[in-house]
Every structure is written in C-alpha cells, then in structure tokens.
Amino acid sequence: TQHKPVIQLSKLDWQTAYDAARRTKSGATASISPAPTPLQELLTDNPEQMTGHERVSALIASMKQIQNHARYLDLTSIRVDDVIIKPVQKRETERSRDGVPFSSDDIEAIFSGYIYIGAVPSDRTKAYPFWFWMPLVGYYTGARTNEIAQLDVADIREIEGYPCFDFCADEPKTPEAKRIKTGEARQVPIHPCLIDLGFLEFVDSQRQAKQKKLFGDGLTYLPPRDGNTEHNKEGWAKTAGKFFNEKPKGYLVTIGVHTPNDGKSIYSFRHTLETNLRNARRDGKPVDQSIIDAITGHAPDTTASKYYDAGATIQQKLDALMHQPISAAIERLVSYKVNFEDRFGDTLTKSVAAHRNKHRRIV
C-alpha cells in the first residue's frame, strides 16, 4: 500500500496492493524504520524468485481480513468485492517442484552443528527434543516434515517383529488431526542407527510422561486457514520449519547449509533419501523403485500396484534403508542423552516443562 494510511487508500490503491502481493519476492525483508523499504525491493517478475503460491494465497487472505476490518472501523468504504482479486495459480518452479537433496558435505555440516556437538550458542534460550530427532528421522525415513512433526507416541510400534514408524492419518474432523498427503498409511522400520542413538528410550520416556505427541515439546498445531482439516498443509510442521529453515536464525541457515531460494530445507531430507536409494546398488542391482515409494509414501501410479500389489514387506524396506549412508558426523554421535540432553541441560528441562504447562497434550 506504499505506506499510506489506510483511511487514504483509494480503490486503485487497494487494487494495486493486491496485484503487488502476487509478485512478492521469496525471502524479502521489509522495514518501516528508519526509512520504509521501497515496494519495488519486495517484488519480482521472475517466477523462480517469487514467494510460493500457498504463501501468496495466505497473504492475500490476510489482506482481505485487514480490509474488512478497516471497513468495519469506517477507515475505508472500499469493499473486498469492489476490487478484482484473481485466483492465485499454482506455481511449480524448479525450486518448488523438485527441491534439492542435501550433498554429503551438507549432511556432515548438519550433524556437526551446535545441535549435536560443540558449545551451545549463548543466544539460544530454549531447546527441544525435536531439534535433535527430526533431522535424523528425516534422513532415515524420507518422511515429509509434517508427517514427522505430527507423530503420536502410539505411532511407534512393533510390526512384523520390527520397531516401526506408523505414518497414519486421523479422521478429518479429529481435533488437531494428523494427515497424510496420499491418504494412505504406511509403516517404515526404524533404522538401527536411530535405535543406537537411544530413539526407543526417548519414545519410552515420552510414553511414561503420558505425552500424546512424540515431538510435541516445542511444537504447536496450526489450524487450516479454511477450516478444512482434511487438507491442512500447515498442521504441526510450521514451527519445525521455522526453526530449521527461516533466516536469520534458522538452524540450516546459521550453519551455512541453506540460503533463500536454494531449494534446500528440512524437507530436503526426503529428496536426499530418495536420491541415495535410487543410486544404491546391491550385487550390481538397484533398489526397486516400488520399495522406495513404499518407504517415502508416494502414491501408486498404476491400478495394479494400488489395488492388487501386497506391497513391500518391513524386511524389504529395512534392507533398502540400510543403503542410506552413515556419514562420519553421524558415526561420531554417541546418543541423544550425551549429545543433546546433557549438553542443553537445564535449558532443555525448563523449555519442555514450560511448553507442557502451556500446551497440555496427554493421554
């Protein structure tokens, strides 16, 4: 709105603001002090640099709410229906469509950062278990960020004799419902490396504390903007994504792995596992793509595979997951207790207690 007072905005000003919102630059920062950021610094005509269509839709929805509230306060006579707001078209750029897998150097940096080793940063006044576990679970399951963040303690269970993640959805009308993009549950065996690091002991500690959510400490549920929980793309992932991805203090940013528009994020663990397993060889043979899809939860692309294929067994999935490289940085890790719990000490204890007091979710 070019920093004009709301009461001065004409119909053309509102229209121009909505048109500008569709061209916002991903990662752009704005300030009103000491001098307002010029609008043109926030906009771009390059689709590769634009904010994703979902965020643009959310921005426009917020602008509509502001305009309606301004009209309620008699600060404007212009109604939302008085301007032309075209639907935001889905944009599939190279960055948003495919994402970028982490390189081996990225993996080394991620698991050698302050979460896992070294001095605890003085500017971090909070700490939560999901910091330690989400990158590791992502690396060894290829699961989507929200699928990991929303896990219940009850979703860790034994299947076919193996401890597994049960990635499953709730009924759509369930409060704070879990959702799966393909709509189909899947079970993924827990990699031995996670077990060695004390994952099952962590699960037991959450169970003994009667916690419903496995990684609920530090995470909160973001309701869908349209009220439709069945298609909620925010869910439990928003807080996690902010901690790992957003500048200037996001973990992946501070350790030098992620910069704006580079296609990397906490979601890149999914691309990393897919890439590694596709390139893996056992006795000269590649890992069957159907097994990789069964692990990552890609929807079957044929009628036969969807309705008649019994699917990969837990053993087949585990055999495939054993192809995921164990980096030197991960090999150096001792356990959750040694590398995280003991290092963050009282900060972790107090953060968890405060979060549970404010966001009580027990079984």
Side-chain angles (χ1 to χ4, degrees):
T1 57
Q2 303 282 359
H3 305 289
K4 288 184 179 179
V6 173
I7 201 169
Q8 294 181 13
L9 296 179
S10 65
K11 179 179 177 180
L12 179 60
D13 291 328
W14 283 109
Q15 181 70 63
T16 301
Y18 282 110
D19 291 341
R22 304 166 69 88
R23 299 169 51 218
T24 53
K25 188 185 301 182
S26 177
T29 57
S31 174
I32 59 173
S33 179
T37 302
L39 179 62
Q40 289 307 311
E41 289 188 14
L42 309 178
L43 307 182
T44 180
D45 291 318
N46 183 349
E48 288 289 337
Q49 297 178 354
M50 287 181 181
T51 300
H53 58 275
E54 293 176 353
R55 285 199 172 189
V56 169
S57 296
L59 171 60
I60 290 176
S62 297
M63 291 171 63
K64 289 179 180 179
Q65 291 177 336
I66 292 171
Q67 185 177 355
N68 285 331
H69 188 59
R71 192 163 181 268
Y72 173 77
L73 297 176
D74 292 327
L75 294 176
T76 183
S77 61
I78 311 301
R79 301 177 304 162
V80 170
D81 291 343
D82 291 338
V83 294
I84 300 173
I85 306 174
K86 299 177 182 178
V88 179
Q89 298 297 316
K90 182 176 180 179
R91 284 197 296 270
E92 288 196 342
T93 64
E94 194 67 30
R95 170 171 56 89
S96 63
R97 181 174 60 251
D98 296 323
V100 177
F102 290 126
S103 67
S104 57
D105 288 343
D106 291 336
I107 295 299
E108 287 295 310
I110 290 168
F111 295 112
S112 298
Y114 71 78
I115 287 179
Y116 299 96
I117 62 172
V120 175
S122 58
D123 61 343
R124 288 292 180 183
T125 59
K126 296 180 181 180
Y128 300 105
F130 79 86
W131 293 10
F132 181 89
W133 288 117
M134 283 194 68
L136 287 163
V137 173
Y139 185 68
Y140 284 115
T141 65
R144 301 172 180 90
T145 305
N146 195 51
E147 291 176 337
I148 300 172
Q150 71 185 2
L151 281 167
D152 290 336
V153 174
D155 294 333
I156 309 303
R157 60 192 185 91
E158 189 171 292
I159 302 172
E160 298 177 19
Y162 297 94
C164 293
F165 296 97
D166 187 1
F167 294 108
C168 57
D170 292 325
E171 290 295 325
K173 300 301 181 182
T174 302
E176 301 184 344
K178 296 182 297 180
R179 61 179 295 277
I180 302 294
K181 187 173 182 179
T182 59
E184 297 180 2
R186 71 185 187 282
Q187 294 76 44
V188 179
I190 299 174
H191 195 282
C193 183
L194 295 176
I195 296 175
D196 291 343
L197 290 172
F199 181 72
L200 296 182
E201 287 81 1
F202 170 75
V203 175
D204 284 341
S205 71
Q206 293 293 86
R207 186 176 289 117
Q208 291 171 15
K210 299 187 181 302
Q211 294 302 301
K212 182 178 188 296
K213 309 305 293 185
L214 184 62
F215 300 123
D217 297 320
L219 299 181
T220 53
Y221 179 82
L222 187 65
R225 297 183 180 90
D226 60 1
N228 188 348
T229 59
E230 189 172 2
H231 300 290
N232 186 11
K233 295 186 178 182
E234 302 289 357
W236 293 92
K238 187 71 173 181
T239 308
K242 182 177 182 179
F243 170 75
F244 287 107
N245 304 331
E246 290 192 3
K247 67 175 188 180
K249 295 183 66 176
Y251 178 69
L252 298 178
V253 177
T254 60
I255 64 174
V257 166
H258 166 55
T259 57
N261 304 319
D262 65 358
K264 295 179 184 179
S265 68
I266 186 70
Y267 193 88
S268 293
F269 284 113
R270 181 171 177 81
H271 303 302
T272 305
L273 180 130
E274 290 178 345
T275 300
N276 288 344
L277 295 193
R278 284 173 183 163
N279 293 335
R281 292 291 185 273
R282 172 177 290 177
D283 298 328
K285 298 179 181 178
V287 177
D288 191 281
Q289 184 62 47
S290 65
I291 297 177
I292 299 175
D293 290 345
I295 292 170
T296 58
H298 281 301
D301 56 5
T302 67
T303 300
S305 60
K306 186 173 184 179
Y307 294 105
Y308 302 108
D309 188 352
T313 65
I314 297 297
Q315 180 65 65
Q316 288 173 323
K317 295 176 186 178
L318 182 57
D319 289 343
L321 286 172
M322 295 305 290
H323 286 294
Q324 181 72 319
I326 300 178
S327 72
I330 294 178
E331 285 187 327
R332 287 192 293 268
L333 299 180
V334 178
S335 68
Y336 168 73
K337 184 179 188 310
V338 171
N339 292 99
F340 191 77
E341 196 172 49
D342 290 349
R343 289 177 56 244
F344 283 87
D346 287 344
T347 300
L348 174 63
T349 302
K350 292 177 182 178
S351 298
V352 169
H355 187 86
R356 291 181 183 180
N357 185 55
K358 186 175 181 180
H359 303 280
R360 184 176 174 82
R361 293 182 180 86
I362 61 174
V363 292

